[in-house]
Amino acid sequence: MSKEDTIELEGVVTEVLPESRFRVTLSNGAKILAYGSGKMKMHRIRVLMGDRVTVEMSPYDLTKGRITFRHRT
């Protein structure tokens, strides 16, 4: 894996934290801390508790991630 490679997983937002951070439970059962990507902030896409999201994670730190997509329910 190179430095630019990311891991994409799906999960569900279980908790909304201050400073636009979220606690996300991934499909494999792991819980991570995530934040919204810049495009989501720019277009004012709101992420609420219970939303299904796609998370990008670095292979170096598997406890943090960036929310890149909010799925429609």
Side-chain angles (χ1 to χ4, degrees):
M1 279 191 155
S2 70
K3 180 180 173 183
E4 290 82 22
D5 288 341
T6 59
I7 301 167
E8 282 196 1
L9 295 170
E10 287 191 13
V12 176
V13 176
T14 56
E15 188 178 354
V16 178
L17 302 171
E19 299 178 5
S20 68
R21 299 202 180 257
F22 306 94
R23 181 90 46 208
V24 178
T25 302
L26 300 176
S27 57
N28 62 5
K31 294 185 179 186
I32 66 165
L33 186 65
Y35 63 92
S37 67
K39 286 267 189 184
M40 292 183 72
K41 290 178 187 176
M42 188 174 71
H43 293 290
R44 295 188 178 104
I45 297 172
R46 299 190 67 143
V47 178
L48 303 172
M49 198 166 86
D51 285 346
R52 204 169 51 111
V53 293
T54 300
V55 179
E56 257 184 14
M57 296 177 5
S58 166
Y60 299 109
D61 188 7
L62 298 175
T63 62
K64 295 179 182 152
R66 175 176 52 230
I67 298 174
T68 56
F69 190 77
R70 177 179 170 247
H71 297 278
R72 294 182 184 210
T73 54

